[in-house]
Amino acid sequence: MLLLYFFLTCFPIIFLFKLKKSLPPWATEVKLLSLWFGKDVSFSSVTKLIKTNSSLSYFTSKTSLKKMSLTSKVDNFEEEVVEEGAAMSILDLPELVLESILERLPPASLCSMAGVCSSLRSRCITDHFWEKHMKNKWGRIIGPVAYREWQWHIALRKDSSHLKQGRPKGLMRIFSIVRPSWWIKPKVDDCSKQSSLPRESIMSWFLALETGRFCFPAQVYNRENGHVGFMLSCYDAELCYDQRTDTFQARYPPHGRRAVAIENNVPWERLREPPVDTSPHDLHISDCLNELRPGDHIEIQWRRNKEFPYGWWYGVVGHLASCDGNENYCRCHNSDSVVLEFNQYALGSRWLHTTIDRKEHREEGNEGDGFYGGIRKLGSDEEISTWKRLWPAEILE
């Protein structure tokens, strides 16, 4: 009886041991790989390894089973894995795997990877990886106007040696004539830190924005910290980003004899990309006048006098005095006169409303009430909701 018990107990162990010897060599390797990949290898751990070791050897090319000793207890055995061959570098990864890793890196990590070796640098500085970062962070306030400014900035840097000598030549001389003088900073950027980067690359542009070395044109809602004289308006400014505070410095063009106004700590939510490619000193040509109907949301250019630049002011199209506002009988859209209302102002205020000519509208106004310029109709709910979010807490006089 005791012999039968011993046989039944030991037979499964002996059977499994012999079965293991009969398996092909690759079976043990598959087992070892399955044990390896069963570990917690997340993307973040791979990224951490990439940052700390450029030679990245997180698995081996060949493994083999050296010995296995069987003791009296089945679960007490040891395996020793011996590496055969050199460690695998990150550059040995399949191209799609490496690209997938790089696509998921944040900008700071992508810059670190670019400093590992020339092969990784050539990959990490390509526009393919930086287009997403540019769009995600800067896409809402960077547009064609800012891009054109960046192209001018590159051209000025190429010709900066002439500026240092005090004798502008070539493109530098042309741009100094055609560009507004308030828009150009007197200092020349130190390009030594980015001398190895292609100047036209998106990475170079992104880093110039992040570090504040490149100031760009955009528009600011409720300028000068929400000054009562600028409520529900949007003015052009030159913006410079401050990484420490995650805010901007805004430099507004001079108003008549006033010097350049500077506002610090402007938050992201008060900024936007210029909706039209029109200089703040030029009249915008309106193309929506025939479409305007009561209830439409609009922005209109306005300036205090003709020495001032235009700002964009929010308003709505109202009804004519002869109309009772009944939609069934309203014919205001057929009239040549269009009433514009600015309901942030109190009843009786001279700024509450104005009337323009639908067919022959140009700049209208006087030195007392200011001058009204071009009009653009707001077509998106996002633009309208932004203006409503900025609505003043109290009615303006």
Side-chain angles (χ1 to χ4, degrees), residues 288-296 316-341 355-359:
C288 62
L289 297 178
N290 292 329
E291 305 172 6
L292 296 180
R293 306 172 67 95
D296 286 342
V316 295
V317 179
H319 292 274
L320 297 171
S322 58
C323 179
D324 61 2
N326 189 320
E327 295 182 358
N328 296 324
Y329 301 101
C330 177
R331 295 293 181 268
C332 294
H333 58 279
N334 294 326
S335 173
D336 291 342
S337 297
V338 180
V339 175
L340 303 178
E341 297 178 347
T355 303
I356 63 169
D357 190 298
R358 188 190 299 269
K359 291 184 176 180

Side-chain angles (χ1 to χ4, degrees), residues 50-339:
I50 290 173
K51 293 179 183 176
T52 56
N53 191 343
S54 62
S55 62
L56 187 64
S57 53
Y58 61 92
F59 61 86
T60 60
S61 58
K62 294 182 179 179
T63 57
S64 63
L65 185 64
K66 186 176 182 181
K67 68 177 182 177
M68 176 181 289
S69 59
L70 187 63
T71 62
S72 58
K73 293 185 179 180
V74 178
D75 57 342
N76 288 340
F77 64 91
E78 296 178 352
E79 292 182 353
E80 182 177 350
V81 178
V82 178
E83 297 182 354
E84 298 178 1
M88 187 175 185
S89 167
I90 184 176
L91 297 176
D92 296 325
L93 289 172
E95 192 67 27
L96 289 177
V97 175
L98 179 57
E99 182 175 339
S100 179
I101 292 173
L102 296 179
E103 281 182 343
R104 288 167 171 78
L105 293 179
S109 299
L110 201 56
C111 287
S112 299
M113 286 289 287
V116 171
C117 64
S118 59
S119 181
L120 283 175
R121 178 185 175 280
S122 63
R123 287 176 168 87
C124 293
I125 68 175
T126 57
D127 289 349
H128 170 71
F129 295 116
W130 289 94
E131 284 176 349
K132 179 184 69 173
H133 296 305
M134 177 65 78
K135 181 179 180 181
N136 289 345
K137 182 163 186 178
W138 297 97
R140 191 177 63 83
I141 60 176
I142 292 289
V145 177
Y147 179 74
R148 185 170 63 246
E149 185 75 11
W150 171 245
Q151 296 302 309
W152 282 342
H153 180 77
I154 294 173
L156 294 176
R157 286 173 59 184
K158 290 179 180 178
D159 206 19
S160 61
S161 59
H162 298 297
L163 179 62
K164 291 179 181 179
Q165 298 171 3
R167 298 173 60 188
K169 297 180 180 180
L171 287 174
M172 189 66 188
R173 184 172 183 178
I174 296 174
F175 289 138
S176 66
I177 296 173
V178 300
R179 299 177 72 210
S181 59
W182 74 274
W183 210 257
I184 304 177
K185 285 190 172 181
K187 72 172 184 177
V188 179
D189 292 336
D190 180 8
C191 306
S192 58
K193 294 183 179 180
Q194 292 191 25
S195 59
S196 60
L197 281 177
R199 287 172 175 170
E200 296 80 5
S201 68
I202 296 179
M203 179 182 180
S204 180
W205 189 12
F206 184 93
L207 295 179
L209 289 167
E210 285 285 312
T211 57
R213 289 197 298 268
F214 171 62
C215 298
F216 61 96
Q219 293 182 347
V220 183
Y221 292 101
N222 293 353
R223 58 173 286 179
E224 299 183 30
N225 296 309
H227 187 283
V228 66
F230 297 104
M231 292 299 294
L232 288 191
S233 68
C234 198
Y235 275 78
D236 287 82
E238 182 192 44
L239 298 175
C240 186
Y241 181 61
D242 185 351
Q243 279 185 314
R244 297 169 301 173
T245 60
D246 192 30
T247 59
F248 295 82
Q249 181 190 78
R251 300 175 72 248
Y252 301 100
H255 287 193
R257 297 179 181 177
R258 287 184 57 186
V260 173
I262 298 178
E263 179 182 355
N264 294 310
N265 301 318
V266 180
W268 286 83
E269 55 268 20
R270 283 179 53 206
L271 304 179
R272 75 173 183 183
E273 169 194 346
V276 294
D277 190 2
T278 304
S279 165
H281 298 275
D282 296 335
L283 179 71
H284 172 66
I285 304 303
S286 309
D287 57 1
C288 62
L289 297 178
N290 292 329
E291 305 172 6
L292 296 180
R293 306 172 67 95
D296 286 342
H297 299 261
I298 58 96
E299 292 178 10
I300 186 169
Q301 289 178 309
W302 183 87
R303 57 182 174 180
R304 183 67 177 177
N305 59 54
K306 295 198 174 185
E307 293 182 353
F308 281 40
Y310 285 113
W312 289 95
W313 294 73
Y314 172 72
V316 295
V317 179
H319 292 274
L320 297 171
S322 58
C323 179
D324 61 2
N326 189 320
E327 295 182 358
N328 296 324
Y329 301 101
C330 177
R331 295 293 181 268
C332 294
H333 58 279
N334 294 326
S335 173
D336 291 342
S337 297
V338 180
V339 175

